[in-house]
Amino acid sequence: NGAILLAALLTALPVRSAAQGPSLQDVLSRVAQYVADFHSRLSGIVAEERYHQEVKSTPGFGGRSTVPVLLPRKDLASDLLLIRPFSADRYIEFRDVFEVNGVPVRDRDERLMTLFVSPDAAKVDRIAAIIEESARHNIGNIPRNINTPMLTLFFLQENSQWRFRFKRAQGSQPALGGASAPNRDTAVFRATTEMWIIEFKEQHRPTIVKTNDGRNFPAAGRFWVNPATGAILMSELVMNSAEVNAVINVSYQSEPLLGFMVPVEMRERYRAGSDRVEGVATYGRFRQFQVKTGELIGKPPGAVE
C-alpha cells in the first residue's frame, strides 16, 4: 500500500516535459549569462556608427506655424565603444563623433586612446560626463542621452532583473519609426516564431533613468530572445512621461569576424508636444581597439657617430 500511495503522489506532482520547453525564469537566467558574456567580449571592440537624425515638426503659434520652416537634419559618423569605468557596476557606451555632415571634427583616435591609457580617464565619477558628451550632437528640442543601442542590456543583468516585472508575450514584430535611411528596410527587425518575446516593466523606484529634473522615468518594452541560448535578437525600449514619449528599437545580428551577435541598427522616435525627432543608426566595421606604444631611444650625450 505504501508503494502504491508513493506512486500516486509522484504522478500528482507537476512535471515540466521537454516538449513544454524552459520556464521564463530559466530563459531569464540564460539571458543574464548571455549579457555578461556579451559585455565581456565586446568590451574594447570599436564599432563605426552612421547616425542620421531628423526633426519632423517644430512648434509654432498655437502649435502651428504659418511660416515655412526648414527642419534640421544631421548625419554623424562616430566610433562607438563599450567601456566599464573603474569601480563602476556596469558598462557604458561612449559615442565619439569624428564627422558631422561629412565634415571631420577631430582626430578619431585621440579620445579613444585617452580612455585606455590615462589612469583617470575611466573613473566612475566621469560616467555622467561621458554620457553627456555622447549626446552633445543631438538635434531637436528634446534633450536625451538614452539613444545608445545597448542601454537596455543593463536591464537584463543578473543584478538588475529584480527591478523589473517580466512576462512572456505573444508573437509580434516591433512597431518601427525612425528617420529615412537610404537603402535600408525593416528586414533586420524581423524575428522567427521560435524566438520568445519577453515584455519588461520597471517596478522599483528610484528608476534607472531619470528625467532632466531628476524625476523617475520608468522603462518598459520588449526583448526578442533565443530561449535555448539567451541570445538577444531585438530590443524595444518604451519610455513615457507627461512631457515626452520615446521608443527605441535595436536589432542584433551575427558578426562573422567577431563570432558573436552585435547591434546592426537602431531606430528611434521621440515626441514632446508638437516636437518630433527621429533617427536611424547603423553599425559596422567592428574592430579591436589596440593601444600601440613605442619608445625612441636617443644617443647618450657625448656619443660620436
Side-chain angles (χ1 to χ4, degrees):
N1 289 341
I4 294 174
L5 178 59
L6 178 60
L9 288 173
L10 288 174
T11 57
L13 293 174
V15 177
R16 180 172 296 276
S17 68
Q20 287 179 291
S23 68
L24 176 59
Q25 191 54 53
D26 290 337
V27 174
L28 288 174
S29 295
R30 292 170 188 168
V31 168
Q33 183 60 55
Y34 176 85
V35 169
D37 293 341
F38 176 86
H39 281 153
S40 177
R41 298 175 75 178
L42 198 63
S43 179
I45 300 292
V46 180
E48 187 169 291
E49 178 188 65
R50 297 286 170 170
Y51 188 7
H52 177 75
Q53 299 181 19
E54 295 182 8
V55 172
K56 292 288 190 175
S57 58
T58 55
F61 180 76
R64 297 180 181 178
S65 176
T66 58
V67 179
V69 177
L70 181 62
L71 299 179
R73 301 182 176 193
K74 183 178 280 189
D75 289 292
L76 304 176
S78 310
D79 288 321
L80 190 76
L81 176 67
L82 188 71
I83 62 172
R84 185 168 186 169
F86 179 75
S87 76
D89 63 349
R90 67 184 180 98
Y91 287 86
I92 62 172
E93 295 159 89
F94 178 52
R95 175 181 288 118
D96 199 12
V97 178
F98 62 83
E99 187 178 282
V100 177
N101 293 333
V103 179
V105 295
R106 62 161 184 81
D107 178 355
R108 68 183 302 175
D109 285 334
E110 180 181 347
R111 281 186 288 184
L112 291 181
M113 182 76 71
T114 301
L115 284 171
F116 279 93
V117 302
S118 172
D120 297 325
K123 283 186 176 179
V124 68
D125 57 1
R126 292 202 60 215
I127 290 179
I130 290 174
I131 292 174
E132 289 305 316
E133 174 65 18
S134 296
R136 185 166 62 90
H137 290 280
N138 289 336
I139 62 172
N141 296 322
I142 305 175
R144 59 201 185 277
N145 57 23
I146 59 173
N147 54 335
T148 55
M150 293 172 284
L151 170 67
T152 53
L153 298 188
F154 176 66
F155 306 159
L156 294 172
Q157 291 183 170
E158 185 177 13
N159 61 354
S160 299
Q161 288 189 9
W162 64 273
R163 306 182 63 90
F164 296 84
R165 177 174 60 83
F166 294 96
K167 181 178 71 172
R168 186 178 177 187
Q170 296 299 315
S172 64
Q173 303 298 330
L176 295 177
S180 303
N183 303 318
R184 303 293 296 184
D185 58 24
T186 60
V188 295
F189 286 97
R190 293 174 186 156
T192 64
T193 56
E194 290 77 15
M195 297 301 103
W196 277 31
I197 301 175
I198 299 178
E199 294 180 351
F200 66 94
K201 186 174 183 180
E202 192 170 7
Q203 300 291 303
H204 289 264
R205 303 296 184 269
T207 57
I208 295 172
V209 179
K210 298 285 201 314
T211 62
N212 284 345
D213 57 4
R215 287 176 293 161
N216 289 317
F217 198 13
R222 297 180 290 177
F223 293 101
W224 283 254
V225 306
N226 183 329
T229 65
I232 298 159
L233 282 80
M234 294 188 294
S235 68
E236 182 177 75
L237 174 63
V238 180
M239 305 191 74
N240 293 303
S241 71
E243 293 80 20
V244 64
N245 166 263
V247 180
I248 301 175
N249 299 100
V250 180
S251 175
Y252 294 81
Q253 290 184 1
S254 178
E255 165 55 49
L257 295 179
L258 297 179
F260 58 93
M261 305 279 284
V262 295
V264 293
E265 186 167 324
M266 176 181 72
R267 289 177 176 248
E268 57 178 350
R269 60 186 185 275
Y270 309 88
R271 188 184 297 274
S274 58
D275 283 349
R276 187 157 58 99
V277 179
E278 299 187 356
V280 173
T282 58
Y283 303 91
R285 197 170 170 256
F286 289 86
R287 63 208 187 273
Q288 183 74 46
F289 187 81
Q290 296 178 336
V291 178
K292 296 181 179 179
T293 60
E295 183 178 7
L296 179 63
I297 302 176
K299 296 182 177 64
V304 292
E305 293 291 341

